[in-house]
Amino acid sequence: MPVTRLGAHTYGIEGVSLTSSAAVVGPKEGEGPLGSEFDQVWNDDRHGEGTFEKAERALLVASQNLALQKAAWSWRSVDLVLGGDLLDQIVSTDFAARTHGRPLLGLFAACAVFTEALGLAALLVAGQGFRRVMVSAVSHHFTAERQFRFPIELGTQRPPTAAWTATAAGTVLVTVEDGPLVVDSVTFGRVLDWAGKDPNDMGGAMAPAAIDTISRHLSDTGRSPSAYDAIYTGDLGNFGLQMAQVLAEQQGLDLTPGLKDCGLALYDRKRQDVHNGGSGPGCAAAVFSGPLVRRLTSGRLQRILLVATGALFSPTTYQQGETIPCVAHAVSVRRFAREERAVLS
Amino acid sequence: MDESRRIEQYQSLVKRMSPKRPVLRNVLWAFFAGGVISLAGQGIMWWFERQGMSAQAAASPTTVVLIGIGALVTGLGWYDRLAKRAGMGAILPITGFANAMVAPAMEFKSEGLIMGVGARLFTIAGPVLVYGMTAAFLVALLRYLITGVA
């Protein structure tokens, strides 16, 4: 059976591969420690587009086209596109769909949208209806600044817990055909609100949701954290990761060899002035679709749990003094070992 | 453990563990950057006085020059870099007011001159004007009630 219910929140999946992926990032992300592991690095944030909103869309389309190219798929062979972004009415994802003309399910889960889409895609493909599904997510630093914070040139001082929205896009292709990686289980998260109010500290607000999803995933699958070479959260950043570790300890959850975070890995915090680290839907999407997929494919990593985290607030809700609800969705991805392939064929 | 108690405990832990702002460094930056801007303003004012203006008359053209410089430096993309370090030292002087007007104008130019620049020009500076004028009115009213001088 391709989909098995493993617990209240987790589904085991068989026969679903990731056949190719692509990550395209902005200049700052290219200068970070992972810079050489992305498929394309833009020289400037605008990339010749008239507005940053158009640039964000172009970033998304570039990662989608590149992923297709690498798999030698045509757009016409894609059954469904799943994905999302941060902008109001998810315009990047929606507008990009005007040109590709494939059926689209636009999703919103703030920065957690990549694993929401990946998990859904894996279930849909395992359900044996869809054969080729594209999953993507994108964010752009300057469009997010405008929507959630201040005009770019306005002089402001950011607190140490503020996150830096990444200019990044990631796309993966999910299929029934053989691929170098497989999705083996998916855990969708509950929305938790632990009364975090500060939009400049999303890491602290999201940490409880991340630990909730991770602990549910582990108990549903009966795995210990050591079953993974790494557990990557999406964008908790420096402080959020610290809080997640404290929470795990409090709950008696031993996460050795320890948590890692895509947002923290994306930049050099000392050199790049990003305060808490990277964030945004494109952050987890690009770090996974570029560096992590490469490391899994090469065998440097065997299995990882990707737990993208999202703070589900809008500028209106925080101005009205509301707390920030958060969510985290987890997808377990592992290398499809050569021996397995031999047995199957 | 009761859920609300757990959340309360978590929030106090977040408060305790949050990395602290570098207050001393910020204050020093604000003091010296604000001081340098004010000194420049004083220099400009002296220059106008040397052209034969009275101190009172020199104040207006000085403000205009400082606003011009603030707007220019914002347009060149430098003012936000200064304010990032100098904080209130860069925001409080009149150059900061210019920055608060020009930054949204640049940002929302893409939405057009009416609904973009026109409607959003006072997004940041608006509250300063509203409460500045309200405060000025109240103080003037008090002065009138107490001293009888309008």
Side-chain angles (χ1 to χ4, degrees), chain A residues 201-221:
Chain A
D201 175 22
M202 293 186 289
M206 294 188 298
I211 290 301
D212 186 65
T213 299
I214 293 170
S215 76
R216 277 162 201 282
H217 176 84
L218 294 174
S219 73
D220 284 352
T221 54

Side-chain angles (χ1 to χ4, degrees), chain A residues 203-285:
Chain A
M206 294 188 298
I211 290 301
D212 186 65
T213 299
I214 293 170
S215 76
R216 277 162 201 282
H217 176 84
L218 294 174
S219 73
D220 284 352
T221 54
R223 287 177 190 158
S224 80
S226 58
Y228 297 97
D229 292 324
I231 297 178
Y232 270 91
T233 51
D235 52 3
L236 294 182
N238 185 50
F239 180 59
L241 203 60
Q242 227 176 314
M243 292 310 296
Q245 265 142 1
V246 170
L247 280 173
E249 262 169 50
Q250 279 180 354
Q251 294 177 16
L253 190 67
D254 177 13
L255 288 179
T256 340
L259 283 177
K260 292 196 164 87
D261 185 68
C262 297
L264 205 52
L266 185 57
Y267 302 106
D268 180 343
R269 280 176 65 241
K270 281 200 187 112
R271 202 167 44 80
Q272 293 191 290
D273 191 32
V274 291
H275 296 78
N276 193 48
S279 71
C283 175

Side-chain angles (χ1 to χ4, degrees), chain A residues 6-338:
Chain A
L6 297 178
H9 304 264
T10 306
Y11 300 88
I13 290 167
E14 275 170 55
V16 175
S17 310
L18 305 184
T19 186
S20 95
S21 72
V24 182
V25 300
K28 194 181 180 89
E29 292 67 24
E31 285 163 17
L34 301 176
S36 61
E37 295 177 77
F38 296 113
D39 296 272
Q40 257 179 31
V41 177
W42 279 7
N43 289 326
D44 76 293
D45 287 303
R46 227 184 249 278
H47 203 64
E49 300 289 339
T51 65
F52 286 125
E53 284 72 18
K54 282 185 184 159
E56 174 170 326
R57 207 177 307 150
L59 198 67
L60 173 66
V61 172
S63 79
Q64 292 178 332
N65 284 335
L66 214 56
L68 287 179
Q69 242 176 55
K70 283 163 87 174
W73 287 9
S74 67
W75 267 111
R76 292 183 57 179
S77 72
V78 176
D79 296 327
L80 181 70
V81 177
L82 282 174
D85 55 84
L86 263 190
L87 299 188
D88 289 340
Q89 289 80 38
I90 51 172
V91 284
S92 299
T93 304
D94 291 344
F95 281 38
R98 287 193 297 211
T99 33
H100 66 60
R102 306 313 300 158
L104 171 80
L105 293 182
L107 306 170
F108 185 83
C111 313
V113 75
F114 184 69
T115 43
E116 175 176 331
L118 184 55
L120 270 174
L123 288 170
L124 288 173
V125 169
Q128 294 176 335
F130 297 89
R131 298 181 58 80
R132 290 178 164 188
V133 176
M134 173 185 277
V135 169
S136 54
V138 65
S139 53
H140 193 296
H141 179 74
F142 293 109
T143 62
E145 280 295 302
R146 160 195 284 226
Q147 184 168 308
F148 288 94
R149 294 177 194 100
F150 296 112
I152 297 155
E153 296 300 339
L154 185 75
T156 52
Q157 228 164 13
R158 300 152 68 86
T161 48
W164 184 273
T165 310
T167 300
T171 297
V172 291
L173 303 179
V174 184
T175 173
V176 286
E177 298 149 45
D178 270 357
L181 308 179
V182 296
V183 175
D184 68 27
S185 52
V186 172
T187 305
F188 292 124
R190 311 184 296 167
V191 172
L192 289 195
D193 186 341
W194 279 30
K197 260 190 172 176
D198 182 2
N200 276 317
D201 175 22
M202 293 186 289
M206 294 188 298
I211 290 301
D212 186 65
T213 299
I214 293 170
S215 76
R216 277 162 201 282
H217 176 84
L218 294 174
S219 73
D220 284 352
T221 54
R223 287 177 190 158
S224 80
S226 58
Y228 297 97
D229 292 324
I231 297 178
Y232 270 91
T233 51
D235 52 3
L236 294 182
N238 185 50
F239 180 59
L241 203 60
Q242 227 176 314
M243 292 310 296
Q245 265 142 1
V246 170
L247 280 173
E249 262 169 50
Q250 279 180 354
Q251 294 177 16
L253 190 67
D254 177 13
L255 288 179
T256 340
L259 283 177
K260 292 196 164 87
D261 185 68
C262 297
L264 205 52
L266 185 57
Y267 302 106
D268 180 343
R269 280 176 65 241
K270 281 200 187 112
R271 202 167 44 80
Q272 293 191 290
D273 191 32
V274 291
H275 296 78
N276 193 48
S279 71
C283 175
V287 170
F288 177 77
S289 307
L292 295 181
V293 163
R294 272 168 212 262
R295 292 172 197 187
L296 282 163
T297 310
S298 71
R300 230 175 103 190
L301 295 170
Q302 296 297 324
R303 177 169 18 212
I304 66 162
L305 186 66
L306 182 69
V307 192
T309 40
L312 306 171
F313 71 101
S314 81
T316 309
T317 64
Y318 79 72
Q319 276 163 7
Q320 291 177 347
E322 297 231 29
T323 52
I324 302 175
C326 297
V327 73
H329 303 296
V331 177
S332 164
V333 178
R334 71 182 167 83
R335 198 165 171 241
F336 192 42
R338 212 166 283 152

Side-chain angles (χ1 to χ4, degrees), chain B:
Chain B
M1 204 189 322
D2 168 37
E3 185 77 2
S4 66
R5 173 119 187 79
R6 204 160 113 181
I7 290 173
E8 222 171 86
Q9 273 186 2
Y10 179 71
Q11 282 308 322
S12 65
L13 192 68
V14 166
K15 222 176 185 173
R16 211 172 56 237
M17 289 185 58
S18 276
K20 299 290 168 270
R21 286 166 185 252
V23 175
L24 183 68
R25 199 179 71 194
N26 286 351
V27 166
L28 286 175
W29 258 100
F31 180 77
F32 285 105
V36 167
I37 294 172
S38 305
L39 208 61
Q42 190 61 50
I44 295 165
M45 195 157 153
W46 279 334
W47 186 83
F48 279 116
E49 284 178 38
R50 275 183 58 182
Q51 309 305 307
M53 285 186 179
S54 69
Q56 207 176 358
S60 297
T62 305
T63 311
V64 171
V65 170
L66 282 174
I67 288 178
I69 294 173
L72 182 72
V73 173
T74 302
L76 292 171
W78 297 340
Y79 206 84
D80 59 322
R81 290 188 218 170
L82 170 71
K84 191 184 111 51
R85 302 217 177 276
M88 269 300 163
I91 296 167
L92 213 53
I94 194 90
T95 46
F97 187 78
N99 171 253
M101 299 285 288
V102 175
M106 289 167 69
E107 181 86 19
F108 297 105
K109 205 181 74 192
S110 60
E111 274 101 309
L113 286 176
I114 308 295
M115 294 315 285
V117 176
R120 309 277 202 132
L121 196 58
F122 289 92
T123 315
I124 312 292
V128 180
L129 294 177
V130 168
Y131 294 108
M133 286 191 270
T134 310
F137 174 78
L138 288 176
V139 170
L141 184 71
L142 273 177
R143 189 178 77 158
Y144 176 69
L145 290 177
I146 294 168
T147 67
V149 179

